[in-house]
Amino acid sequence: MKRTTFLAVVLLAFAFTAHAQDAAKKYTAVKPADPESKVVLDSWNEIGRKLTALAEDFPEDKYDFKPTPAQRSFAEQLLHAAGSCYYFTNAAMEQKLPAEDPKREQYKSKADVVAFVKKAFADGAAAIQAKGEKGLMTEVLYYPGQKARVLDIAYGIIEHSGEHYGQLVVYYRLEGLVPPESRPQK
């Protein structure tokens, strides 16, 4: 009887060890980090997606809503955030930087604003892809007398766009609406 118990314990230990080794093999094959160009492109596209979702979802009759008279309207916030993309895109492609924000008068309808937001982020994504891994590390003239790496400018605009996304969420809440990202997922 002792021998049977001992044999059962040995077989159980062997099975557990074999299972543990199989599990360890699955976890030892560590996936390498994504290339920087993929990481920045994914972040760029994600904030662009979120701002586009807000632009498409917010009621057109509320596009000129301002929490206070001194603040930008919902549409002006979107135009500012999307327009800032060209501080990256134009710098990365060594073109002249924009002089000012796009004007609301140029983008009269919701469809006009949505199209501009989509185009601005698509142009930036194309610039990231065109620069490639090495190009993201190059320095370009960002402001007169100031150079910056293309990658750093991209991350700065991503962060800036995220700040305006947060402000636009407040506009939603002040209007009694729930932003798309805060709604229950189906």
Side-chain angles (χ1 to χ4, degrees), residues 83-94:
S84 73
C85 291
Y86 290 102
Y87 283 91
F88 163 73
T89 305
N90 290 16
M93 304 313 285
E94 300 185 47

Side-chain angles (χ1 to χ4, degrees), residues 41 44-45 88-89 93 119-132:
L41 181 62
W44 183 274
N45 287 336
F88 163 73
T89 305
M93 304 313 285
K119 182 177 180 350
F121 281 95
D123 289 348
I128 292 167
Q129 291 170 322
K131 292 311 266 185

Side-chain angles (χ1 to χ4, degrees), residues 55-56 58-61 63-64 74-76 78-79 103-117:
E56 291 174 335
F58 204 70
E60 185 164 12
D61 65 335
Y63 253 55
D64 290 311
F74 184 86
E76 289 167 335
L78 284 169
L79 292 169
K103 300 291 181 215
R104 175 70 165 124
E105 297 78 42
Q106 294 174 269
Y107 302 91
K108 296 183 188 307
S109 71
K110 175 179 174 174
D112 294 340
V113 174
V114 169
F116 181 71
V117 171

Side-chain angles (χ1 to χ4, degrees), residues 1-8:
M1 185 72 169
K2 286 183 182 180
R3 185 175 176 160
T4 306
T5 304
F6 176 74
L7 187 57

Side-chain angles (χ1 to χ4, degrees), residues 24-139:
K25 286 179 187 176
K26 289 179 187 176
Y27 295 110
T28 56
V30 176
K31 180 184 170 197
D34 288 332
E36 190 67 36
S37 59
K38 181 182 181 329
V39 174
V40 73
L41 181 62
D42 288 350
S43 295
W44 183 274
N45 287 336
E46 179 63 8
I47 192 59
R49 180 194 66 75
K50 286 179 176 180
L51 286 170
T52 299
L54 291 177
E56 291 174 335
D57 183 70
F58 204 70
E60 185 164 12
D61 65 335
K62 297 182 185 296
Y63 253 55
D64 290 311
F65 167 71
K66 294 180 175 189
T68 69
Q71 291 177 289
R72 291 181 177 116
S73 69
F74 184 86
E76 289 167 335
Q77 285 277 11
L78 284 169
L79 292 169
H80 171 75
S84 73
C85 291
Y86 290 102
Y87 283 91
F88 163 73
T89 305
N90 290 16
M93 304 313 285
E94 300 185 47
Q95 299 171 357
K96 185 180 175 189
L97 296 180
E100 57 187 31
D101 282 349
K103 300 291 181 215
R104 175 70 165 124
E105 297 78 42
Q106 294 174 269
Y107 302 91
K108 296 183 188 307
S109 71
K110 175 179 174 174
D112 294 340
V113 174
V114 169
F116 181 71
V117 171
K118 287 180 177 182
K119 182 177 180 350
F121 281 95
D123 289 348
I128 292 167
Q129 291 170 322
K131 292 311 266 185
E133 202 68 30
K134 286 185 181 180
L136 289 175
M137 299 305 166
T138 60
E139 289 185 357

Side-chain angles (χ1 to χ4, degrees), residues 57 180-186:
D57 183 70
E181 289 291 311
S182 297
R183 294 176 192 154
Q185 301 298 311
K186 295 177 182 174

Side-chain angles (χ1 to χ4, degrees), residues 150-168:
V150 172
L151 180 68
D152 297 334
I153 300 168
Y155 277 126
I157 298 301
I158 291 166
E159 192 257 343
H160 175 259
S161 297
E163 290 171 357
H164 285 283
Y165 171 81
Q167 291 173 0
L168 290 165

